[in-house]
């Protein structure tokens, strides 16, 4: 699909501003009703989903061009999907899809952000979206004696992800996952230096061709491994494998699970028994690409039926974030003795973004930090000692924010706490 | 027309460079998203504002207004900006009041709240509920401003027991068209919010009637609004993930019913009895289509519910919510309702009686979250006509005239067939009422719009004038005021004088209000 | 000076009065405003007369002072502030035009008094939301145009209630009808269509009735008014709650109004309740007053058509629960005063002599709008000021009326005095001026300024004054309508 194919969706926008707020049924007070970091930070309607859709049509009609301002607005969006959820409370129209297509169109027509170009260069050359050499990707696993899925048949592939592999502060998450999977007796392997980026973040940034390139390479490798299940601890990776690969008919029958889904299953099957007490008051942050955007892709081919109400033949089921992964991470936390979970105000399908996604982390670190700071304040207000999440990008952004803001919050991944309990 | 550099720099000086933009990417996004195929005039798009500003205070608003006056540039202010806030010509800037978003005070013993324009209804209601209060949200939805002066009329779902914004208004702050700041009532005299009238005559009389100036008479920057007792929980219990929210129970002391009647006379009589018995918390004459929209989570479901509800109602109807302040109160209200239903031949829609489905209906009606779907019905294009505000039977009769027109449009397949019963609502326990005919259609082009909306509006005007039904709410713009004015004591001449006196340069863009043309 | 012949041509000779004795009656009232004699008193018969009068006045720049109530007047607004004035006495326009049960509204001319309108609406099962014991000669339209507070806060949604629409001749000479009455159509055509001239706001984006209210006749002359009415209850059960603790009383008031449990609801002090209920003077009055608690809350619980008795029963129980929370009890009699007798009294205008004049022959009222939290402080200020001025505080009446469904309160101090006693008169006058200033400092909002304090009140809000001048320039550009009042 191209931007033109979403014209009807974009023109269905009613300018109601729902995209700026959490679903209105959920509003419990004055504070914390905003759900879109972009308009919350920059205030012009332009930065909201509604503004982006109007501009999407304007672009098609050559009323505006790929100016610097256009690119600035377009790239100052974490692609978190909150607008999509809030809009689709009432409306049958795509919101994120045309926003993705706008970025893709930008890239295809040569209008890019040089900072993001640099990231993509790294992807093309080293197979990673973070600085690092391909040859060093597997270094985190040194001494862990993990099967190499490029050489041995395994049931499960653990796809580590770029940030977890290369960032020294995040490697502990990978090591914790390995420990837990081994403890549960899972037959799993990693690709080590042969692992390559899922491509999901490249897609978010609009580099569709590069994403497809990565996707095809990865699926070839996965098929060769014989693995039926892929597990990842990165929300971006999860959404890429589960949703995007499926969208482009590349996933096949591969079962894709986020590590929290898998651990939840293992705990419920009795294969992991968290018995050690971890006395901690925590709050949980739903990563966008695990939660609302982690909902399975829905294949649909059909057409809009001309008429006075927007219905389709065959009936089209819209993805609205309803079936994202919200409960498994919570169930894992609940299973850890001593952990008390206090929820923030904006959670699950209307969680506030950590700030790192969509290329913002790279192209506008100040905005990324601002977004994270907002979430830190929200987490602190729960009285929790720790902010727990299930994505390395979220964890890293929060950790960095906590350091600079002087907050006393500690930041963990779910698996780190589970590791302590096993 | 481009703004002069001096003018633009002056704007930057007032709000800061990060809070003003004339970039076409920004100004384009403030154009209403009506696309070429659907515009009445195929050659002209909705024009852009010359620049968009984001003032953060009354002082900044005043400075911008005065600057515009000096430089003969027009301006138009809006809050969340859903309809009625677009320019119609060049040389106009936008004041987007998003940064003025504070709740200034909630006074529990005074039972009022004072807000800035970008506080949305959901926020104010949620804060009020924590304190045992609620407020009348604009019927357009909880996504709209809580400022009583930031709507078209300000009627809402609570109007039966919670009136509407013209009547709930207490003190307010107004930056006039030429940049004076006037605090009404106690705000001007004492810096307080509790009274909006005096000393002497009330200036509330010149800034709005049952409709508002829609950006054409300066900027309203703060206002206090009456609150009403809320006997329910601080937050409505709910589960599930959007949009499949489930509300496990109706709170104690609450009841919801959708009642349909054999004919309109029975409905009018029932509204009178419910009003005089003072048992209704909300009474809204929604039709089956609006009920379906409230509960549906997608369009196919909407159509299915529409059919289901249409099959189960006997005629026109209304939604009634009862909210009791004590168990004895609930007992009384329930029994009184039962009697009224028997006396008027009402049927109760079973789906609404279900405790879980009913709870969902109830919360969405109280929080007014269904309006986006109700008004848009997810086609992105709606229309219709609105009546005025006057005694309930008269407003009902008025809007029924236009429902005949709707049937004709349905028969000719020009609009969606979602039933012809109008929407009518009761205000202040039946002391007043208001009605609307809402239509959904996917315009095939500008001719289609002319044939449908144009016809409806023409007929609605003809009916209002010839039938003596009052001045409807859709009367805005010079042309319509010029049409209605001579029929109604030449009120338009007085409105023009207000405009002339309080906006002598015509700086507030007044295409949806009135200009001071001589 | 306006030519008498021209006035005669409009209203007829017997309706133009120039006898000095009559003129003197309009030249002063019971307030402390200066005595200013009008040149004539005219009595128009209807709207056409008024229109012609205004046109004539406009041509000759003659001040017009509209009066709709009969004497005695108390606030100075009906006394000319400028020489050469013509009093337009509408008190003879006594038509009750229409009473509409279905739409709960009545329409009447300005001369209609409460005593005349009440039976007419009662015939249709309706009642008025009335001020507290208006005098016999008080015009209903006049009361509503003054924004007088009314005793049923439940039905007082807006400070303008119960006024609906008016027909007015502005100072420009133009006739205008406000709200739904504006049109389209004549009044009769509107009736035929089902209209009832009930909706007050409008037409369209202005609510002109609000600038006519509170204007003291400075914008125009009203020739009829409509007012919303309420249903007559089928059962009424009135109660008192007495206490020396005003805070507790007010807490109960807040909840009674907030929960919409009662119809009539107001607070008076012992002095005022005694003044209302005493039959023999001064013995009865002192006897009653001295045996009453300092503060008395009066309220009325009612039942309508549905489950009448049950409604009264459960509401009474709910009210008892509220009272119990602050340790107060309901009663239907206080010493010699029966709540039923008070209820009967307040549903009618005052008997003669007017209740406020029975004690000493004169009464000066200080009244303002205030908020729940400021009220106790303001009452203290007034008592202190009275003491300091040497006024016998036990004589002072206090009346607290929740209005706008409890969003704010009308607070009124009634200073009884002997108008023939110069010392008493001077004392009250000085006390009034000084107290107003102190009360303003404590957050009192004199939304209806009258008399000598008007300038002090209006001048606090220069922006509003400037805006009012603009409104005045629209409706009365040559300032013939009661010039000298408010800020005009």
């Amino acid at each position: 699909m191209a931007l033109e194919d979403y014209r009807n969706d974009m023109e269905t926008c009613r300018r109601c501003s729902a995209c700026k707020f959490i679903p209105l049924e959920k509003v419990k007070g004055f504070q914390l009703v905003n759900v879109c970091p972009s308009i919350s930070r920059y205030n012009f309607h332009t930065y909201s989903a509604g503004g982006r859709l109007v501009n999407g049509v304007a672009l098609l009609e050559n009323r505006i061009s790929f100016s610097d301002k256009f690119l600035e607005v377009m790239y100052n969006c974490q692609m978190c999907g909150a607008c999509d959820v809030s809009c689709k409370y009432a409306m049958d129209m795509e919101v994120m899809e045309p926003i993705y297509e706008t970025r893709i169109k930008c890239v295809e027509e040569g209008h890019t952000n040089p900072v993001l170009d640099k990231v993509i260069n790294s992807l093309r050359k080293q197979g990673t979206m973070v600085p690092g050499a391909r040859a060093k990707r597997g270094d985190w696993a040194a001494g862990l004696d993990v099967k190499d899925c490029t050489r041995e048949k395994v049931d499960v592939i653990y796809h580590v992800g770029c940030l977890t592999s290369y960032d020294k502060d995040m490697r502990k998450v990978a090591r914790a996952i390995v420990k837990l999977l081994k403890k549960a007796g899972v037959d799993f392997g990693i690709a080590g230096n042969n692992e390559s980026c899922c491509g999901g973040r490249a897609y978010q940034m609009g580099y569709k061709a590069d994403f497809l390139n990565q996707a095809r390479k990865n699926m070839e490798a996965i098929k060769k491994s014989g693995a039926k299940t892929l597990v990842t601890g990165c929300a971006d990776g999860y959404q890429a494998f589960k949703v995007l690969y499926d969208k482009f008919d590349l996933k096949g029958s591969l079962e894709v699970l986020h590590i929290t889904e898998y651990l939840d299953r293992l705990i419920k099957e009795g294969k992991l028994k968290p018995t050690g007490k971890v006395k901690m008051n925590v709050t949980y942050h739903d990563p966008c690409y695990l939660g609302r955007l982690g909902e399975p892709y829905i294949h649909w081919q059909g057409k809009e039926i001309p008429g006075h109400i927007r219905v389709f033949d065959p009936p089209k089921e819209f993805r609205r974030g309803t079936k994202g992964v919200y409960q498994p991470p919570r169930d894992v936390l609940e299973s850890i003795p001593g952990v008390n979970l206090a929820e923030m105000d904006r959670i699950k399908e209307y969680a506030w973004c950590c700030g790192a996604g969509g290329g913002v982390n790279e192209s506008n670190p100040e905005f990324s930090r601002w977004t994270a700071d907002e979430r830190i304040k929200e987490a602190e207000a729960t009285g929790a000692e720790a902010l727990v999440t299930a994505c390395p990008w979220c964890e890293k952004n929060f950790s960095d924010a906590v350091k600079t803001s002087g907050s006393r919050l500690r930041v963990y991944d779910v698996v780190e706490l589970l590791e302590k309990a096993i | 027309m481009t703004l002069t550099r001096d003018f633009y720099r002056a704007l930057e000086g007032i709000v800061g460079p990060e809070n003003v933009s004339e970039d076409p990417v920004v100004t384009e996004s403030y154009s209403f998203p009506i696309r070429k195929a659907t515009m009445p005039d195929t050659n002209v798009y909705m024009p852009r504002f010359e620049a968009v500003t984001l003032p953060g205070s009354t002082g900044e608003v005043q400075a911008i207004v005065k600057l515009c006056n000096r430089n003969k540039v027009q301006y138009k202010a809006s809050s969340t900006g859903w309809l009625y806030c677009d320019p119609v010509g060049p040389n106009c800037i936008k004041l987007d009041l998003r940064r003025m978003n504070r709740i200034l005070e909630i006074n529990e013993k005074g039972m009022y709240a004072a807000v800035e324009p970008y506080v949305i209804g959901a926020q104010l209601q949620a804060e009020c509920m924590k304190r045992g209060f609620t407020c009348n949200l604009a019927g357009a939805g909880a996504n709209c401003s809580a400022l009583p002066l930031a709507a078209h009329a300000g009627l809402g779902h609570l109007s039966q027991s919670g009136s509407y914004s013209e009547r709930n208004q207490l003190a307010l702050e107004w930056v006039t068209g030429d940049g004076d700041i006037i605090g009404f009532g106690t705000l001007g005299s004492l810096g307080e919010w509790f009274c909006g009238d005096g000393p002497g005559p009330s200036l509330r009389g010149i800034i709005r009637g049952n409709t508002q100036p829609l950006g054409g008479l300066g900027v309203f920057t703060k206002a206090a609004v009456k609150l009403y007792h809320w006997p329910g929980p601080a937050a409505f219990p709910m589960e599930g993930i959007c949009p499949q929210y489930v509300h496990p129970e109706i709170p104690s002391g609450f009841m919801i019913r959708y009642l349909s009647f054999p004919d309109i006379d029975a409905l009018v009589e029932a509204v009178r009895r419910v009003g005089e018995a003072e048992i209704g918390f909300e009474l809204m004459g929604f039709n089956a289509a609006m009920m379906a929209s409230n509960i549906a989570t997608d369009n196919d479901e909407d159509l299915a519910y529409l059919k289901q509800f249409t099959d189960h109602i006997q005629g026109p109807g209304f939604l009634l919510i009862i909210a009791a302040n004590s168990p004895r109160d609930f007992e009384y209200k329930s029994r009184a309702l039962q009697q009224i239903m028997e006396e008027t031949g009402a049927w109760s829609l079973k789906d609404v009686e279900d405790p879980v489905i009913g709870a969902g209906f109830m919360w969405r009606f109280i929080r007014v979250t269904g309006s986006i779907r109700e008004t848009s019905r997810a086609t992105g294009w709606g229309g219709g006509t609105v009546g005025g505000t006057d005694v309930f039977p008269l407003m009902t009769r008025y809007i029924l005239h236009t429902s005949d027109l709707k049937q004709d449009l349905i028969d000719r397949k020009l609009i969606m067939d979602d039933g012809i019963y109008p929407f009518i609502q009761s205000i202040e326990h039946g002391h007043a009422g208001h009605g609307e005919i809402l239509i959904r259609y996917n315009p095939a082009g500008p001719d289609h719009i002319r044939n449908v909306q144009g016809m409806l509006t023409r007929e609605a005007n003809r009916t209002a004038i010839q039938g003596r039904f009052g001045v409807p709410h859709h009367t805005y713009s010079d042309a319509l005021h010029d049409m209605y004015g001579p029929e109604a004591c030449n009120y338009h001449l007085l409105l023009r004088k207000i405009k002339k006196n309080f906006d002598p340069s015509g700086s507030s863009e007044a295409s949806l209000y009135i200009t001071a043309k001589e | 000076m306006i030519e008498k012949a021209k006035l005669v041509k409009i209203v007829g000779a017997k309706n133009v009065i120039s006898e000095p004795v009559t003129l003197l009656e309009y030249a002063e009232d019971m307030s402390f405003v200066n005595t200013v004699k009008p040149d004539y008193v005219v009595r128009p018969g209807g709207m056409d007369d008024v229109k012609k009068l205004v046109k004539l006045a406009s041509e000759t720049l003659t001040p017009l002072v509209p009066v709709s109530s009969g004497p005695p007047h108390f606030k100075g607004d009906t006394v000319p502030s400028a020489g050469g004035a013509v009093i337009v006495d509408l008190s003879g326009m006594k038509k009750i035009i229409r009473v509409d049960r279905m739409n709960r509204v009545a329409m009447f001319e300005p001369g209609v008094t409460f005593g005349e309108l009440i039976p007419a609406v009662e015939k249709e099962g309706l009642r008025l939301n009335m001020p507290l014991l208006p005098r016999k000669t008080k015009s209903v339209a006049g009361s509503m145009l003054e924004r007088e507070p009314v005793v049923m806060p439940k039905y007082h949604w807006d400070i303008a209630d119960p006024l609906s629409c008016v027909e007015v001749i502005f100072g420009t000479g133009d006739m205008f009808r406000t709200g739904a009455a504006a049109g389209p159509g004549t009044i009769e055509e509107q009736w035929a269509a089902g209209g009832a001239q009930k909706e007050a706001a409008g037409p369209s984006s202005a609510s002109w009735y609000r600038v006519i209210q509170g204007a003291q006749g400075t914008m125009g002359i009203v020739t009829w008014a409509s007012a919303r009415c309420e249903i007559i209850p089928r059962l009424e059960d009135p109660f008192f709650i007495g206490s020396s603790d005003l805070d507790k009383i007010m807490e109960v008031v807040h909840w009674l109004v907030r929960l919409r449990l009662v119809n009539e609801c107001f607070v008076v002090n012992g002095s005022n309740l005694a003044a209302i209920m005493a039959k023999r003077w001064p013995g009865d009055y002192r006897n009653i007053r001295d045996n009453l608690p300092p503060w008395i809350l009066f309220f009325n619980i009612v039942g309508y058509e549905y489950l009448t008795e049950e409604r009264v029963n459960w509401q009474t129980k709910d009210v008892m629960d509220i009272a119990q929370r602050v340790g107060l009890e309901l009663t239907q009699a206080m010493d010699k005063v029966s709540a039923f007798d008070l209820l009967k009294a307040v549903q009618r205008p005052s008997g003669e002599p007017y209740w406020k004049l029975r004690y000493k022959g004169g009464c000066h009222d200080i009244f303002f709008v205030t908020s729940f939290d400021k009220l106790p402080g303001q009452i203290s200020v007034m008592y202190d000021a009275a003491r300091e001025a040497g006024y016998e505080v036990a004589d002072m009446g206090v009346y607290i009326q929740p209005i706008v469904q409890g969003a704010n309160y009308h607070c009124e101090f009634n200073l009884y005095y002997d108008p023939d006693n110069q010392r008493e008169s001077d004392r009250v006058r000085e006390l009034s001026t000084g107290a107003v200033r102190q009360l303003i400092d404590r957050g009192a909002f004199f939304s209806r300024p009258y008399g000598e304090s008007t300038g002090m009140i209006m001048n606090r809000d220069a922006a509003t004054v400037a805006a009012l001048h603009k409104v005045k320039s629209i409706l009365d550009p040559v300032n013939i309508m009661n010039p000298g009042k408010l800020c005009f």
Side-chain angles (χ1 to χ4, degrees), chain A residues 7 10-18 20-21 23-34 36 39-47 50-55 57-58 61 63-65 67 69-70 73 85-86 88-92 304-312 315-316 318 320-324 326 348-350, chain B residues 18-21 23-26 28-33 35-36 45-46 48 52-54 80-83 96 98-99 101-103 118-120 122-123 126-127 130 142-143 235 238 240-245 247 297-300 303 363-364 367 369 372-373 375-382 413-416 440-442 448:
Chain A
R7 186 174 187 129
M10 293 190 283
E11 292 186 357
T12 302
C13 171
R14 289 297 283 161
R15 188 60 171 90
C16 71
S17 290
K20 301 167 186 168
F21 305 111
L24 299 168
E25 281 198 51
K26 282 289 189 178
V27 172
K28 288 208 195 78
F30 171 72
Q31 300 291 350
L32 305 172
V33 301
N34 292 317
C36 170
I39 189 176
S40 299
R41 177 76 178 84
Y42 297 105
N43 286 311
F44 290 104
H45 177 66
T46 325
Y47 290 87
R52 292 171 196 280
L53 297 185
V54 170
N55 278 351
V57 178
E61 295 181 344
R63 284 168 54 77
I64 54 176
S65 63
S67 61
K69 185 65 182 177
F70 185 87
V73 171
V85 167
S86 289
K88 285 170 175 170
Y89 171 88
M91 300 296 283
D92 283 15
E304 192 172 333
I305 301 172
H308 297 304
I309 183 168
R310 200 157 195 254
V311 288
F312 300 83
K316 180 176 179 182
F318 283 81
R320 300 177 198 263
T322 318
K323 296 173 190 160
Y326 305 112
K348 298 187 182 176
E349 77 276 19
Y350 56 99
Chain B
E18 69 281 10
N19 291 316
V20 57
S21 177
D23 192 291
V25 167
V26 173
E28 175 70 17
S29 71
Y30 282 81
S31 301
F32 185 66
R35 299 276 66 85
K36 192 172 186 177
Y45 286 81
M46 203 60 98
R48 299 174 188 159
V52 179
T53 63
L54 294 161
T80 52
W82 192 9
L83 295 184
D96 180 342
R98 185 177 160 89
R99 292 174 61 219
N101 62 355
R102 297 175 298 157
I103 294 178
Y118 214 94
V119 175
I120 63 171
Q123 287 176 293
E127 284 299 325
K130 290 183 204 170
N143 47 308
M238 53 192 292
I241 306 288
C242 184
Q244 305 291 345
Y245 291 129
H247 308 77
T297 59
D298 65 52
N299 287 356
D300 290 302
L303 290 173
W363 180 229
R364 281 186 281 274
R367 181 49 64 87
T369 61
I372 297 170
R373 179 177 283 282
T375 54
S376 302
R377 207 64 58 70
T379 59
W381 192 272
K413 299 198 180 339
L414 290 174
I415 63 173
M416 177 180 166
R440 309 284 165 262
Y441 66 112
N442 202 2
H448 190 166

Side-chain angles (χ1 to χ4, degrees), chain C residues 14-31 33-44 65-82 85-92 135 482 485:
Chain C
K14 65 176 170 45
N15 291 318
V16 179
I17 298 132
S18 52
E19 280 77 29
V21 167
T22 309
L23 295 181
L24 197 57
E25 285 170 14
Y26 293 85
E28 58 190 14
D29 67 4
M30 300 210 68
S31 72
V33 301
N34 292 339
T35 301
V36 178
K37 217 157 53 75
D39 283 359
Y40 300 101
V41 174
V42 297
R43 297 198 173 114
V65 180
V67 177
S68 45
S69 303
H73 299 100
F74 289 86
K75 300 197 205 75
D77 54 321
T78 55
V79 174
S81 297
V86 171
I87 302 288
V88 182
D89 188 343
L90 306 149
S91 61
R135 67 180 186 275
N482 214 354
K485 297 298 185 293

Side-chain angles (χ1 to χ4, degrees), chain A residues 287-335:
Chain A
C288 307
Y289 280 76
L290 176 63
R292 55 182 164 252
L293 293 173
E295 188 174 51
Y297 189 75
I298 300 171
H299 287 275
W300 177 84
Q301 283 277 21
K303 56 185 194 317
E304 192 172 333
I305 301 172
H308 297 304
I309 183 168
R310 200 157 195 254
V311 288
F312 300 83
D313 179 31
K316 180 176 179 182
E317 189 188 340
F318 283 81
R319 295 175 69 235
R320 300 177 198 263
T322 318
K323 296 173 190 160
V325 177
Y326 305 112
Q327 203 51 42
R330 287 171 167 82
D331 285 351
V332 171
L333 286 172
E334 301 267 331
S335 73

Side-chain angles (χ1 to χ4, degrees), chain A residues 369 373 376 380 398-408:
Chain A
R369 177 62 46 80
D373 284 343
I376 297 292
E380 284 172 339
F398 289 141
S399 296
D400 290 346
V402 152
K403 273 188 210 123
T404 42
S405 70
S407 169
R408 293 164 75 155

Side-chain angles (χ1 to χ4, degrees), chain B residues 60-72:
Chain B
E60 288 182 5
V61 169
Q62 181 187 39
I64 293 171
V65 166
K66 285 189 179 245
L67 181 72
C68 286
N69 270 269
R70 279 200 302 278
N71 289 272
K72 301 195 183 347

Side-chain angles (χ1 to χ4, degrees), chain A residues 217-413:
Chain A
K217 269 196 311 208
N218 284 331
M219 284 315 299
E220 204 178 306
I222 289 167
K223 278 194 187 97
K224 270 199 194 136
S225 77
K228 298 282 179 277
T229 301
L230 181 139
V231 165
T232 178
C234 175
D236 276 14
Y238 174 73
Q239 195 260 359
F241 284 108
K242 177 145 186 166
V243 180
L244 291 179
Y245 286 26
D246 193 6
K247 177 177 176 177
F248 291 99
D249 295 317
L250 296 169
K251 186 171 85 71
S253 59
L254 179 68
E255 182 191 30
V256 177
L257 294 170
H258 188 265
I259 187 61
T260 53
E261 286 183 291
Y262 197 53
L263 292 171
D264 182 45
R265 186 196 285 181
L266 293 172
I267 292 168
K268 285 173 176 147
E269 288 173 355
K271 292 178 181 162
L272 274 177
K273 292 183 175 57
T275 50
K277 201 164 183 184
V278 181
K279 202 165 171 345
M280 200 181 291
N281 297 324
V282 308
T283 189
Y284 174 68
H285 166 82
D286 292 273
C288 307
Y289 280 76
L290 176 63
R292 55 182 164 252
L293 293 173
E295 188 174 51
Y297 189 75
I298 300 171
H299 287 275
W300 177 84
Q301 283 277 21
K303 56 185 194 317
E304 192 172 333
I305 301 172
H308 297 304
I309 183 168
R310 200 157 195 254
V311 288
F312 300 83
D313 179 31
K316 180 176 179 182
E317 189 188 340
F318 283 81
R319 295 175 69 235
R320 300 177 198 263
T322 318
K323 296 173 190 160
V325 177
Y326 305 112
Q327 203 51 42
R330 287 171 167 82
D331 285 351
V332 171
L333 286 172
E334 301 267 331
S335 73
I336 302 172
V339 166
N340 289 318
L341 174 63
E343 296 277 13
M344 289 183 274
D345 278 348
R346 293 175 293 187
I347 60 170
K348 298 187 182 176
E349 77 276 19
Y350 56 99
W352 179 260
C353 178
C354 75
V360 171
N361 183 57
E362 294 83 357
S363 65
N364 192 347
E366 186 271 328
F367 176 34
S368 176
R369 177 62 46 80
W370 177 88
T371 308
D373 284 343
E374 293 292 304
R375 194 57 160 166
I376 297 292
K377 281 184 238 165
E378 189 176 353
E380 284 172 339
T382 65
E385 310 157 52
L387 171 57
V388 184
T389 185
C391 172
W393 292 98
C394 299
E395 187 178 351
K396 179 167 174 60
N397 218 31
F398 289 141
S399 296
D400 290 346
V402 152
K403 273 188 210 123
T404 42
S405 70
S407 169
R408 293 164 75 155
L409 270 182
R410 286 171 279 160
V411 182
Y412 296 106
D413 191 293

Side-chain angles (χ1 to χ4, degrees), chain B residues 385-404:
Chain B
T385 70
V386 296
T389 303
D390 203 337
V391 290
F392 184 84
L394 184 74
M395 291 296 94
T396 303
R397 256 197 298 286
Y398 172 64
I399 216 68
L400 280 175
H401 278 282
T402 26
S403 62
D404 293 338

